[in-house]
Amino acid sequence: MSEARNALVTGGTRGLGLAVARRLAAEGWSTTVFGLDQGRLEKVRAMARSEGLDLHAVRADVTSEESVRQAVADLTRTRPLHLCVNNAGRNLSRLLLRTPRDGGGELLTHPLDDWERTLRLCLTGVFLVGREAAASMVRHEVPGVIVNVSSGLACGAYGQSAYTAAKAGVEALTRTWSYELGPYGIRVVAVAPGVMDGEALREKSTAFPRHARYMEGLKRFVPLGRWAAEDEIADAVCFAADNPYLTGSVIRIDGGGPPGWVP
Ligand SMILES: NC(=O)c1ccc[n+]([C@@H]2O[C@H](COP(=O)([O-])OP(=O)(O)OC[C@H]3O[C@@H](n4cnc5c(N)ncnc54)[C@H](OP(=O)(O)O)[C@@H]3O)[C@@H](O)[C@H]2O)c1
């Protein structure tokens, strides 16, 4: 019997990451997710036990170099890593400039802290985990795969300076790493989903009714007339993981649109 292939999915405690991790584990990958929230990590462990999946949950912060180094080292001490899915990320809506609602006072500007936190999670996190995963693959002489989760908004979108810049960076890293890591037999692919009908969208729409109305209106620009199911995007991640001739590409999977995010 051949040994199980090992996969890592960052941000695999909910949403797309969890859909990808469950799918990989069901297909026979020994799968580990990284996340932060202890309650969610425990839920993943309980789910793995009840469904009999080879699925493990580890607390690791992708924004911390030390945490990523330690977690990837622990994971790969005795076995190689074959697949790394850089999925952890979170959207942030902020205008570059905003006039106060009452029309008076100072022009408000995009806080630097929001910019830096979003870049740290969505871009630096991919850099740190991708770097450690690639180094481990080379040390173990494994022709592995890195799949980076981008977004349909990587081309720019209204009110999304930090997030769009981060995701454009993720696509640039994907191409750059495909050149650098190809000679080691490592493939690097990005998957850029449109909006997903998942927990993240539902939470934001519940918290902000204006956002819910805006998103409903935006749906008419999607030729297929609906948002993606997380499993449909997980399919694309698994395709990227399996196809041996795919590298340096961005798989856009967005139901045909919307092309950008406009007011
Ligand atoms: N939702 C969409 O419509 C959409 C569209 C296009 C692209 N995307 C991209 O798809 C990916 C997944 O999105 P999603 O909506 O499924 O996300 P989500 O439901 O908000 O889940 C985010 C995941 O990232 C983890 N995470 C956050 N900060 C972390 C950190 N510092 N270290 C480790 N893990 C961390 C969270 O874990 P904890 O809960 O434990 O903190 C959680 O598991 C993201 O890259 C997102 O940008 C999403």
Side-chain angles (χ1 to χ4, degrees):
M1 204 176 82
S2 63
E3 272 189 37
R5 294 180 297 171
N6 302 309
L8 163 64
V9 182
T10 69
T13 58
R14 56 180 251 166
L16 174 62
L18 182 57
V20 170
R22 284 179 88 158
R23 169 79 179 266
L24 290 169
E27 287 181 1
W29 291 79
S30 178
T31 305
T32 300
V33 301
F34 285 176
L36 284 182
D37 185 275
Q38 288 292 8
R40 286 186 187 279
L41 289 165
E42 193 42 56
K43 267 192 188 167
V44 173
R45 292 179 195 123
M47 190 192 72
R49 280 193 298 273
S50 77
E51 295 181 17
L53 295 174
D54 188 358
L55 177 59
H56 311 271
V58 169
R59 190 175 193 286
D61 180 354
V62 302
T63 68
S64 154
E65 183 172 38
E66 186 46 40
S67 176
V68 169
R69 270 214 177 113
Q70 191 61 53
V72 174
D74 290 347
L75 188 63
T76 58
R77 188 156 294 124
T78 56
R79 59 194 190 145
L81 183 66
H82 301 87
L83 168 64
C84 169
V85 181
N86 278 312
N87 164 79
R90 195 156 290 159
N91 176 285
L92 176 86
S93 298
R94 291 282 180 278
L95 290 169
L96 183 67
L97 303 175
R98 195 158 56 84
T99 44
R101 280 190 201 287
D102 61 9
E106 287 284 309
L107 197 60
L108 304 172
T109 57
H110 191 311
L112 176 60
D113 181 52
D114 286 341
W115 165 268
E116 287 178 341
R117 271 190 298 113
T118 302
L119 268 285
R120 186 90 194 167
L121 173 60
C122 296
L123 183 57
T124 306
V126 172
F127 167 75
L128 290 173
V129 178
R131 183 188 69 181
E132 295 308 305
S136 143
M137 288 169 186
V138 170
R139 285 189 201 109
H140 283 274
E141 298 181 14
V142 164
V145 187
I146 297 173
V147 181
N148 296 325
V149 177
S150 176
S151 162
L153 302 187
C155 57
Y158 184 86
Q160 302 276 326
S161 291
Y163 185 72
T164 57
K167 292 300 188 181
V170 166
E171 295 189 6
L173 278 184
T174 300
R175 278 185 291 278
T176 299
W177 289 353
S178 72
Y179 301 138
E180 294 187 17
L181 301 176
Y184 295 101
I186 298 171
R187 296 186 296 107
V188 190
V189 184
V191 171
V195 178
M196 288 183 285
D197 192 1
E199 210 177 321
L201 176 69
R202 282 194 290 274
E203 274 178 7
K204 199 166 172 186
S205 291
T206 305
F208 305 102
R210 209 168 129 236
H211 177 262
R213 285 194 298 278
Y214 172 64
M215 294 305 289
E216 225 17 68
L218 199 62
K219 214 185 268 179
R220 71 179 189 279
F221 296 107
V222 180
L224 292 184
R226 64 174 178 85
W227 303 134
E230 286 164 348
D231 278 339
E232 291 169 320
I233 309 301
D235 273 353
V237 172
C238 292
F239 171 77
D242 276 336
N243 190 296
Y245 199 57
L246 194 62
T247 197
S249 304
V250 179
I251 301 175
R252 301 204 179 279
I253 172 160
D254 58 6
W261 196 317
V262 289

